[in-house]
């Protein structure tokens, strides 16, 4: 019987010792370039002529399984290094790894391509032991016929495994490129902080969906049943949403987010983002349409106030507050004046014509949560974070706008804060969202008594700034919930009219369309916006 090693180990130029030419992973290298076929197996589940047990038809298993018939090739310490006389070939050698069964996916790729070969298999030459004496002739011919095809295909597969490094700037451009995102709708990129945003191109014609309802005097609100648009584009929680107050332009929706931006969407016709504005360096907590519908007033945690003109993209007004801004409201009569509240015990009235504070309203509290104008702007309400019995001011305070005097500070006596306020469009009442997980109803004229008979409950607030609103006809009330639901109540009976499973995270804002009778917009802490119809 012939010896397993059919050549002289002392000749370094002809062939290398197979016992010393294997790497640490059990693979072999042959610098001679001579193709040597593999060992023949007795059967599909038999034993090789070296005595190694094998369970497959191929002489080589998946490299990850570490079941190569090399157990008896090591003559010395298995951890020893290969011979220093071995040199890597100048070009990539032919690979004869089997491709009948594709191995598992790579750790560097989300999904392995068909026939994927690991990187180690493409870089290292396969094992070719000198077992020619035990391999029959038909095995030689079969291996030689497949060697050429395997080398070219597996070389391409090996190159596909290597992911090139892409700089961060190019990765951001690829995210913003619609072709790189698989054809998904991507909103226009916003301008860097401190730069003028691009002008917003608004079609001069009215939306065909809004046109039939413009001349209608009474709009009966119906309960929405399905999602019309699912708007995704913000990378942080969406704090508030608001339809454009001009009826002919009410297809536009404004959204303010904690990702330092506010966006304008076409939420009626297409569901696309029209423009992204990045004029703040911190989270945008409040953003409001101007009554003319051509400008947006925004304030955030960067203490900055900006009035952005949509047609020119410039800053008409810029101011610096003494506190982080959480709420903004335009005066219903004088549109050049607005109220600003936030992380301070004082509410300030700004005049955009002079760019200065014209009046202050100071209370013995630490934070202003929301502001609501009453009596056509002669009075307004402020919701504060005062909830203790020891404080002279309660949660809701009524102010005289002209004199800055307190009209009443004993409106809400329960020990809950009210994150949002909403005025009824037809009745002299207003709603207060409370952290007691219910909506409270108050009279909007002095002495602002709370109704003990009607209470709208069933949702959860749990510390979120959950908003509430009345429908344009006044028959329905809508509120979000900390568990993502959207609840609608009958204003007259306080019974629940509908419950929508809106979002996976807390639903913060809900708003009815001012013209379309059955369109509702909701936003969530997860950063998405839904338009219901």
């Amino acid at each position: 019987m012939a010896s397993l090693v059919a050549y002289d180990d002392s000749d370094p130029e002809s062939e290398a010792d197979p016992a010393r030419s294997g790497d640490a992973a059990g693979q072999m290298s042959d610098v001679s370039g001579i193709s040597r076929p593999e060992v023949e197996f007795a059967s599909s589940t038999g034993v090789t002529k070296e005595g190694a047990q094998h369970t497959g038809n191929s002489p080589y298993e998946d490299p990850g399984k570490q079941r190569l018939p090399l157990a008896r090739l090591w003559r010395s310490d298995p951890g020893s290094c290969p011979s220093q006389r071995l040199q890597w070939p100048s070009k990539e050698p032919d690979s004869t790894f089997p491709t009948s069964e594709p191995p598992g996916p790579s750790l560097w790729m989300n999904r392995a391509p068909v026939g994927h070969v690991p990187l180690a298999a493409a870089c290292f030459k396969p094992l070719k032991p000198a077992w020619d004496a035990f391999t029959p002739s038909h095995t030689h011919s079969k291996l030689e016929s497949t060697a050429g095809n395997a080398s070219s295909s597996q070389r391409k597969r090996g190159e596909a495994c290597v992911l090139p490094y892409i700089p961060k700037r190019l990765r951001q451009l690829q995210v913003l490129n619609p072709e790189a995102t698989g054809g998904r709708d991507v909103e226009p990129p916003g301008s860097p902080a401190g730069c003028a945003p691009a002008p917003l191109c608004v079609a001069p014609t009215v939306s065909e969906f809004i046109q039939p309802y413009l001349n209608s005097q009474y709009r009966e609100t119906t309960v929405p049943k399905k999602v019309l648009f699912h708007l995704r584009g913000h990378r942080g929680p969406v704090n508030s949403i608001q339809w454009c107050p001009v009826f002919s332009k009410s297809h536009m929706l404004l959204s303010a987010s904690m990702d330092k931006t506010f966006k304008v969407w076409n939420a009626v016709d297409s569901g696309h983002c029209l423009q992204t504005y990045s004029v703040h360096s911190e989270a945008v907590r409040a953003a409001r349409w101007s009554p003319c519908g051509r400008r947006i007033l925004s304030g955030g945690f960067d203490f900055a106030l900006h009035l952005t003109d949509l047609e020119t993209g410039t800053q008409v007004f810029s101011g610096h507050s003494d506190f982080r801004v959480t709420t903004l409201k335009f005066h219903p009569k004088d549109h050049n004046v607005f109220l600003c509240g936030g992380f301070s015990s004082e509410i300030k009235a700004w005049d955009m014509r002079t760019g200065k504070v014209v009046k202050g309203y100071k209370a013995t509290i630490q934070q202003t949560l929301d502001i609501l104008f009453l009596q056509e702007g002669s009075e307004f309400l402020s919701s504060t974070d005062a909830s203790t019995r020891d404080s002279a001011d309660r949660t809701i305070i009524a102010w005289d706008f002209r004199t800055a005097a307190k009209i009443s500070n004993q409106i809400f006596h329960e020990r809950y804060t009210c994150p949002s306020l909403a005025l009824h469009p037809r009745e002299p009442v207003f709603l207060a969202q409370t952290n007691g997980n219910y909506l409270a109803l108050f009279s909007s004229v002095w002495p602002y008594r709370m109704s003990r008979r009607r209470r709208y409950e069933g949702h959860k607030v749990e510390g979120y700034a959950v908003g509430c609103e009345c429908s344009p006809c006044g028959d329905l009330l809508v509120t979000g919930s900390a568990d993502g639901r959207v609840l609608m109540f009958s204003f007259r009976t306080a019974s629940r009219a509908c419950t929508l499973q809106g979002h996976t995270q807390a639903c913060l804002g809900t708003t009815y369309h001012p013209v379309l009778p059955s369109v509702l917009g909701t936003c969530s802490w997860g950063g998405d916006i839904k338009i219901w119809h």
Side-chain angles (χ1 to χ4, degrees), residues 89-167:
S90 59
K91 62 180 182 179
E92 183 179 358
D94 295 339
S95 177
T96 59
F97 275 81
T99 59
S100 59
E101 295 183 3
S106 173
L107 294 177
W108 300 98
M109 302 180 65
N110 295 331
R111 179 175 57 85
V114 178
H116 168 71
V117 178
L119 183 60
C123 297
F124 295 98
K125 196 169 182 178
L127 176 64
K128 295 183 180 179
W131 291 341
D132 306 73
F134 300 97
T135 306
S137 58
H138 64 84
T139 307
H140 282 276
S141 60
K142 182 178 180 181
L143 292 175
E144 291 175 357
S145 62
T146 59
N149 298 332
S151 60
S152 60
S153 62
Q154 293 183 5
R155 183 181 298 109
K156 296 179 180 178
R157 293 166 186 164
E159 294 174 355
C161 299
V162 181
L163 299 178
Y165 172 76
I166 301 176

Side-chain angles (χ1 to χ4, degrees), residues 193-206:
C195 299
L200 180 63
C201 298
V202 181
T205 59
V206 183

Side-chain angles (χ1 to χ4, degrees), residues 4 27 156 172 234 289 311 341 388 403 426 474 480 485-486 509:
L4 287 177
Q27 295 176 330
K156 296 179 180 178
Q172 294 175 348
H234 283 293
W289 285 99
E311 297 178 355
T388 61
T403 63
R426 299 183 183 273
R485 295 179 300 160
V486 181

Side-chain angles (χ1 to χ4, degrees), residues 248-322:
S248 61
K249 300 179 182 179
S250 58
H251 62 280
M252 294 187 295
L253 181 72
L254 170 65
S255 62
S257 174
M258 301 290 284
D259 63 357
K260 307 177 185 180
T261 65
F262 60 91
K263 298 176 182 286
V264 177
W265 309 79
N266 185 345
V268 173
D269 300 317
S270 61
H272 292 165
C273 178
L274 300 179
Q275 190 57 263
T276 301
Y277 298 87
S278 303
V279 298
H280 291 272
S281 59
E282 296 294 338
V284 181
R285 185 62 178 83
R288 304 290 299 180
W289 285 99
S290 64
C292 63
R294 297 192 301 267
R295 300 172 179 176
I296 294 177
L297 178 64
S298 60
F301 286 175
D302 57 351
F303 303 86
L305 296 167
H306 296 291
L307 183 67
T308 305
D309 190 284
L310 302 183
E311 297 178 355
T312 62
T314 59
Q315 304 297 319
V316 180
F317 160 79
S318 294
H320 187 80
S321 176
D322 297 334

Side-chain angles (χ1 to χ4, degrees), residues 197-239:
L200 180 63
C201 298
V202 181
T205 59
V206 183
S207 172
E208 59 180 1
F209 298 101
I210 300 176
Q211 181 67 44
Y213 298 93
L214 289 179
N215 298 326
S216 176
Q217 297 296 328
Y218 181 76
R219 307 177 184 92
E220 183 180 0
T221 305
T222 58
V223 176
K225 298 180 180 179
K226 62 180 180 179
V227 177
L228 182 63
F229 295 116
H230 193 176
L231 310 180
R232 299 182 180 93
H234 283 293
R235 300 183 180 180
V238 180
N239 296 312

Side-chain angles (χ1 to χ4, degrees), residues 57-78:
N57 295 327
S58 175
Y60 302 106
E61 292 281 343
D62 186 356
K65 298 180 180 180
Q66 301 293 337
R67 297 189 61 181
L68 299 177
L70 303 175
R72 303 187 65 179
L73 292 179
W74 292 102
R75 303 301 182 184
S76 59
D77 185 12

